[in-house]
Amino acid sequence: GMETDDKEALLAKYRNQLSEFSEGAIPDEVMETIDSELEKMSTLEKNSSEFNVTRSYLDWLTSVPWGKISEENFDLKGT
């Protein structure tokens, strides 16, 4: 039904976002958590509060710039 399609689309979106990270960029422990949350989401009812909590958590986990490092700049004159 429609609910399953929406859920499948969300799961596909997360998997697609994850595939864009370079190999090894996401720490193993984090990847285990993400896999666990994706598995949990696939079993939850779309309109349950737990589904929305899981969705928010996955939104956050997949938006962290894993493996991207920037130079620290401690020059306060340039601020």
Side-chain angles (χ1 to χ4, degrees):
M2 182 79 136
E3 216 168 86
T4 304
D5 294 341
D6 288 349
K7 195 189 309 182
E8 289 303 316
L10 265 177
L11 291 169
K13 178 188 94 163
Y14 293 128
R15 289 194 178 100
N16 186 43
Q17 286 175 310
L18 291 168
S19 72
E20 293 174 9
F21 289 100
S22 58
E23 186 72 30
I26 302 174
D28 290 344
E29 312 83 61
V30 176
M31 205 57 231
E32 286 174 23
T33 300
I34 291 172
D35 287 340
S36 171
E37 293 298 311
L38 286 170
E39 184 65 31
K40 179 169 57 168
M41 179 181 252
S42 69
T43 64
L44 292 169
E45 288 296 320
K46 193 169 179 296
N47 46 5
S48 71
S49 58
E50 184 69 12
F51 182 89
N52 289 317
V53 170
T54 302
R55 179 181 180 171
S56 294
Y57 191 35
L58 283 165
D59 282 342
W60 180 79
L61 284 169
T62 57
S63 66
V64 170
W66 300 109
K68 294 197 172 95
I69 300 169
S70 63
E71 286 295 315
E72 293 290 339
N73 182 357
F74 296 108
D75 180 14
L76 297 178
K77 291 181 211 149
T79 59

